[in-house]
Amino acid sequence: MRPWELHDSVVIGAGVVGASIAYHLAARGEAVTVVDAALPASGATRHSFAWISDGGGPDGPALGLRDFAVEDWRRLGTEIPGLELVWSGALTWGDEFGRSSAIAPPIDVEPRLAHLPVRARFSPEEGWIDPVRVTEQLIDAARRHGAQTLFGAPALRLIRDEAAGTVGVDLGHVVLAAKNVIVAAGTGSSALCRSIEVDLPMTSAPAIMVRLSAPPGLIARIVANDEFEARQGPDGTILLPRGYSGEDSDEALARTGEAVRRLLVDSFEDADDVRLQSVDVGWRPMMSDGEPAIGATRVPGVHVAVAHPGVCLAATIGRIVAAEITTSAAAPELARFRPTRFD
Ligand SMILES: Cc1cc2nc3c(=O)[nH]c(=O)nc-3n(C[C@H](O)[C@H](O)[C@H](O)COP(=O)(O)OP(=O)(O)OC[C@H]3O[C@@H](n4cnc5c(N)ncnc54)[C@H](O)[C@@H]3O)c2cc1C
C-alpha cells in the first residue's frame, strides 16, 4: 500500500494559471498543495509574451472574461506587495488589431518608431509581466498564506474514491487525496482528465518566441501591428512572438530569428545594434473549440482551468475559481466556458 495524504485542495500545474488559483485559494484560507512536474512557469508560461490587454474588441476567445483582466491584475498588484506588473500601455494598429477608436496617436508615444501610423490605438491601461518572475511571486504569496508546494513531482493520473467522497492525485510514491483537485496542467490537462474518463479535447498550438538584446530604451510600450508584436524589458531584452511556420531545426529557428531581427531594425530608428539572443518554441494550451475550459467537471471535486490567453486571464481565473470552490456558488461569468460542454 502506498501512503495516502489528505489535503483540502490540490492544484496540478504551477504555470501562471495554477499559481494564481493557488494564491487565491490560499488567500481565502483554503489549505492548498501545488504540484508541478518541473519548476513553476516551466510550460507555456515561460515562453509567453505576457500581454495583459483590455477586452480588445468583440473578437477572439474568452469574450466577457477578458473585460476583467486588467482590473484583476491591478487588484493583485495591491494585494501582493512588490508584484512586478508593468503598465506600459500598448500602441496597436493594422487589420489584426483594428480595434475601435483608432485615432492619430500622440507623437511622443513611441519616439523611436521609424514610421508612426496615421491611425492607431493607444491603450495606456494595458501592460505586461515577466511571466516567470510573476508566477514565482504568486507561488511565494500562496506560500505566505500557508500553501504547500511539491515541484519535480509529475502527477501520473487522477483517482476517484466515490465511497470516501474524495478525489486523488497519484504521484507514484504517494497519493494525495483531496476534497478538490484543480487541473491547471496546461497541455498536460487532457491526459490527466482522461484518467478519470473526463473528455477535455485540446488542440494545443505551437508559437515562437524570439528574444533580442538591445540597449534599454528603444521600445517604450507594447507595440503591435500586422507585422510584429514587440516589447522591451528594463534590461534591454526585446520579446517578439511569432506564429509557428514549420521550423524543424535549430538552423530554421535561427533563420526565423534573424528575419525578425531585421524587421525590428527596420521598424525603429538607430536600432542597428540589436542582436539575436534566442528563439524558442512554446506550446499554447488550447481547447479544441478555442474557448477556455474553466470550472467543475462532471466528477465531483475535479475542476479544470485551461485558457488562452492564459497570462492575461490568470488573475481573473484565479479569483473566480477560488470563489466557486470555497462558496460552492456557480459563477455566471463561467457559463460559456464550463468543461462540461464536452460531455
Ligand atoms: C510565444 C507565446 C506567446 C504568448 N503570448 C501571450 C500573451 O501575450 N498573453 C497571454 O495572455 N498569453 C500568451 N500566451 C499564452 C500563455 O503563455 C498561456 O496561455 C499560459 O502561459 C498558460 O498558462 P498555464 O498555467 O495554463 O499553462 P503552463 O504554463 O503550460 O503550465 C502548466 C504547468 O503544468 C505542469 N504539468 C503539466 N502536466 C503535469 C503533470 N502531469 N503533473 C504535474 N505537473 C504538470 C507543467 O510542468 C507546467 O508547469 C503566449 C504563449 C506563447 C507560447
Side-chain angles (χ1 to χ4, degrees):
M1 278 286 279
R2 282 173 305 159
W4 278 68
E5 292 176 4
L6 192 58
H7 297 245
D8 268 3
S9 288
V10 175
V11 179
I12 308 177
V16 68
V17 172
S20 171
I21 293 171
Y23 163 75
H24 283 88
L25 280 170
R28 282 175 161 262
E30 188 82 354
V32 190
T33 303
V34 191
V35 302
D36 197 290
L39 289 175
S42 30
T45 299
R46 174 162 299 269
H47 303 294
S48 189
F49 189 58
W51 181 355
I52 302 170
S53 67
D54 67 6
D59 301 322
L63 203 59
L65 272 191
R66 279 182 288 141
D67 294 341
F68 300 109
V70 169
E71 186 186 323
D72 272 311
W73 274 110
R74 284 190 187 272
R75 170 186 52 80
L76 279 184
T78 62
E79 284 177 24
I80 302 175
L83 191 68
E84 292 171 28
L85 311 172
V86 184
W87 299 114
S88 60
L91 181 68
T92 54
W93 70 93
D95 292 342
E96 202 179 325
F97 298 94
R99 305 163 171 197
S100 54
S101 69
I103 51 154
I107 197 82
D108 59 350
V109 75
E110 195 57 65
R112 288 177 66 180
L113 200 57
H115 309 286
L116 198 65
V118 179
R119 297 180 78 75
R121 182 184 185 221
F122 179 54
S123 310
E125 71 286 359
E126 299 187 8
W128 56 272
I129 58 172
D130 174 334
V132 177
R133 176 78 188 126
V134 167
T135 300
E136 290 169 350
Q137 289 187 305
L138 288 171
I139 292 289
D140 283 346
R143 281 199 190 110
R144 286 197 293 276
H145 285 284
Q148 313 250 333
T149 53
L150 274 172
F151 299 139
L156 305 181
R157 62 186 177 121
L158 304 181
I159 296 172
R160 353 170 22 175
D161 184 338
E162 279 174 63
T166 58
V167 282
V169 182
D170 185 353
L171 298 182
H173 62 293
V174 64
V175 173
L176 310 182
K179 284 188 290 179
N180 295 293
V181 171
I182 301 96
V183 180
T187 55
S189 301
S190 192
L192 285 168
C193 286
R194 204 174 309 127
S195 65
I196 49 162
E197 291 170 7
V198 166
D199 193 18
L200 199 67
M202 294 179 68
T203 49
S204 300
I208 285 182
M209 179 55 74
V210 177
R211 286 184 172 78
L212 306 173
S213 307
L218 180 61
I219 307 177
R221 321 287 183 176
I222 293 170
V223 179
N225 54 55
D226 292 340
E227 293 195 314
F228 68 86
E229 294 172 32
R231 64 168 170 84
Q232 186 174 30
D235 69 347
T237 301
I238 298 174
L239 269 68
L240 295 103
R242 307 296 286 175
Y244 177 74
S245 48
E247 290 86 345
D248 56 2
S249 65
D250 282 356
E251 210 181 0
L253 285 173
R255 273 198 302 274
T256 298
E258 179 52 24
V260 169
R261 191 193 71 81
R262 267 188 270 115
L263 180 60
L264 196 281
V265 168
D266 290 344
S267 303
F268 288 84
E269 281 166 2
D270 302 325
D272 296 333
D273 45 2
V274 171
R275 300 279 170 265
L276 184 59
Q277 198 182 95
S278 62
V279 188
D280 297 294
V281 181
W283 282 82
R284 296 169 293 180
M286 283 172 154
M287 300 308 302
S288 57
D289 62 2
E291 292 293 352
I294 307 168
T297 68
R298 66 181 169 74
V299 174
V302 177
H303 308 253
V304 301
V306 175
H308 184 79
V311 173
C312 182
L313 295 172
T316 302
I317 293 171
R319 169 177 60 80
I320 297 177
V321 168
E324 279 209 331
I325 287 174
T326 51
T327 66
S328 301
E333 302 94 305
L334 295 186
R336 291 181 45 232
F337 308 119
R338 301 224 169 259
T340 43
R341 70 183 184 273
F342 298 111
D343 290 347

